[in-house]
Amino acid sequence: MNAKNNQCPMQNGNAEILLSYCARSLEPEQTAQIEQHLTACAECRAWAAEQQTVWAAMDAWEAEPISADFDAALFARIAAAERTSAWERWTSPVRQFFQGGMGWRPVWPAVAVALTLVIALSIENPFRTEPAGQTVKLEAQEIEQAERALEDLEMLRQLEAPEEETSL
Amino acid sequence: MDMMAVATIEHDAELMLRVREGDSQSFALLLAKHRAPVIHFLYRMIQNQAVAEELAQEVFLRVYRSRASYEPTAKFTTWLFRIASHVALNHIRDGKHERNQESLDQESDEGMSRQVASEAPTVEQRMVREAKFEEIRQAIELLPAKQRAAVLMHKYQEMEYSQIAAALECSESAVKSLLFRAYETLRAKLAHMAGRE
């Protein structure tokens, strides 16, 4: 704004400077220039007067007093939030897993490890035992062999018996 | 920006950096300094003191929880009012504001009748003041939320255009536009108060 040349802030699209004047945020030199302009420009004078009325009205709007326990309530809320935050940090992976937030991707390494262990143990297992069915089958074979041996002995005994009778 | 402002920036940012290092005493200092401006801003945005205090707690809680990621890239006040504006605008957007306002209107009416009944000698003066206050309150309340936030930061927090722009996450020219439209509306509604009381 150039007050000396009587350039009007309203005319040259610089009403911002009038607003700053009303807000008393201009430097002293600029304030003096505006005040000089206002003596000559009715439009800007009216605008500034209205703005100052609004400004004064807004000054009259006082804020309410703040509750005495505001800080205490805030610190309690912060403490609660911090506790929740710590709990969430610890349980987050589990909760995300059950909520489906992480999908199945993190499970795959665990599945791969489990499968590897199963395969390795099935190939080379020092504690491996025979299946129950096989054990029963082996026991049956042994009994059958024993029975057959007993039968053979009985047959030999019968064959020897007539020779004894003949010799008598 | 004057030297005093620069010193203030450094002091608040320094306090916040200490909070980041785990110094809760610095947080108490920041709270003591900025508690009233934040609550008053929210009160004028929402026009309900209980809700304003509730929202202010949310603001300071967010400040505290953001301490680890805090970087002093902007003036602390600008950062603080960005959070406060977010909280207030979200509250208004979610429609909670209208419900609060209904109860406030009921309280105002009841308050007026109580005054009329119990304080007869000063009733006229009080009613004039109440009416003026109500007019200002309604004029500001009827502004669109973003214009309201800009005006309140400009008028009561004396923030510069660049700070308001950073707080509202828009350009400086957008802030100027918001302010001019807002003040135009307020001039149209409140200019008749010139010379009254």
Side-chain angles (χ1 to χ4, degrees):
Chain A
M1 207 270 316
N2 186 344
K4 284 176 185 170
N5 295 336
N6 202 25
Q7 284 183 351
C8 177
M10 298 298 286
Q11 297 294 324
N12 62 19
N14 193 16
E16 169 193 337
I17 201 163
L18 273 182
L19 193 57
S20 300
Y21 167 76
C22 296
R24 299 183 200 94
S25 60
L26 290 179
E27 296 295 320
E29 193 186 342
Q30 284 180 306
T31 303
Q33 285 181 347
I34 288 289
E35 283 175 346
Q36 192 183 347
H37 173 74
L38 291 179
T39 58
C41 180
E43 190 186 359
C44 286
R45 206 166 46 241
W47 193 98
E50 284 183 357
Q51 183 61 29
Q52 279 166 339
T53 301
V54 167
W55 211 254
M58 289 176 76
D59 278 335
W61 187 13
E62 290 171 9
E64 299 278 318
I66 299 166
S67 306
D69 65 346
F70 179 84
D71 286 10
L74 173 65
F75 288 128
R77 211 167 152 181
I78 286 174
E82 289 294 292
R83 278 196 300 274
T84 310
S85 173
W87 172 250
E88 280 173 355
R89 265 199 310 276
W90 282 102
T91 58
S92 173
V94 177
R95 281 182 296 105
Q96 281 183 332
F97 173 76
F98 284 110
Q99 287 165 4
M102 288 170 75
W104 284 95
R105 266 183 302 171
V107 178
W108 293 128
V111 171
V113 170
L115 279 173
T116 311
L117 281 172
V118 167
I119 292 165
L121 289 173
S122 64
I123 291 170
E124 193 62 48
N125 185 355
F127 306 106
R128 188 172 57 183
T129 53
E130 291 297 337
Q134 268 188 329
T135 310
V136 170
K137 199 174 169 184
L138 280 172
E139 281 173 3
Q141 281 176 346
E142 283 167 4
I143 291 166
E144 198 177 308
Q145 282 173 354
E147 281 174 351
R148 216 175 289 143
L150 284 171
E151 281 171 6
D152 290 343
L153 282 170
E154 181 62 21
M155 198 168 65
L156 285 170
R157 198 179 61 79
Q158 284 173 358
L159 284 172
E160 284 169 3
E163 285 176 7
E164 282 175 8
E165 281 174 11
T166 312
S167 62
L168 286 173
Chain B
M1 198 180 295
D2 59 20
M3 288 309 290
M4 182 76 91
V6 171
T8 306
I9 294 169
E10 287 169 351
H11 185 58
D12 285 350
E14 197 182 307
L15 286 174
M16 192 59 205
L17 289 172
R18 283 190 210 155
V19 176
R20 192 174 73 177
E21 301 305 316
D23 178 9
S24 55
Q25 193 59 40
S26 293
F27 181 75
L29 289 172
L30 281 171
L31 177 64
K33 184 177 175 185
H34 297 285
R35 182 201 303 113
V38 168
I39 295 175
H40 293 167
F41 168 74
L42 291 166
Y43 164 68
R44 289 181 173 115
M45 278 297 285
I46 309 297
Q47 304 201 358
N48 179 313
Q49 182 68 14
V51 176
E53 289 192 13
E54 179 77 17
L55 295 180
Q57 292 203 353
E58 179 66 30
V59 170
F60 286 108
L61 182 62
R62 287 191 193 189
V63 167
Y64 189 78
R65 294 187 82 174
S66 306
R67 65 194 185 282
S69 58
Y70 175 76
E71 291 295 338
T73 50
K75 193 174 173 181
F76 177 80
T77 317
T78 306
W79 182 64
L80 180 64
F81 274 85
R82 179 187 291 188
I83 298 172
S85 303
H86 260 285
V87 168
L89 293 173
N90 284 346
H91 180 84
I92 292 166
R93 190 201 56 208
D94 294 345
K96 294 170 188 164
H97 175 55
E98 285 160 23
R99 290 196 292 278
N100 299 333
Q101 197 49 53
E102 279 169 20
S103 59
L104 182 70
D105 289 343
Q106 282 167 2
E107 282 167 20
S108 298
D109 293 345
E110 286 163 11
M112 294 274 276
S113 0
R114 272 200 303 273
Q115 282 169 4
V116 171
S118 63
E119 297 181 33
T122 58
V123 67
E124 197 176 330
Q125 283 181 331
R126 281 179 173 272
M127 284 184 77
V128 168
R129 260 210 307 274
E130 283 289 341
K132 186 178 173 183
F133 163 77
E134 191 60 19
E135 211 173 337
I136 298 160
R137 190 186 68 73
Q138 281 185 0
I140 291 173
E141 195 208 351
L142 288 173
L143 292 173
K146 215 165 175 179
Q147 284 187 26
R148 199 186 322 162
V151 162
L152 296 178
M153 281 189 268
H154 183 247
K155 171 70 181 86
Y156 297 104
Q157 281 15 94
E158 298 182 357
M159 287 167 72
E160 295 167 9
Y161 295 133
S162 59
Q163 288 180 275
I164 300 171
L168 293 178
E169 294 174 287
C170 60
S171 66
E172 270 190 57
S173 60
V175 167
K176 286 177 189 172
S177 170
L178 283 172
L179 285 174
F180 278 105
R181 277 183 281 144
Y183 282 125
E184 203 176 316
T185 307
L186 292 177
R187 280 198 304 276
K189 287 181 191 293
L190 303 176
H192 66 277
M193 286 183 173
R196 240 214 256 173
E197 199 192 11

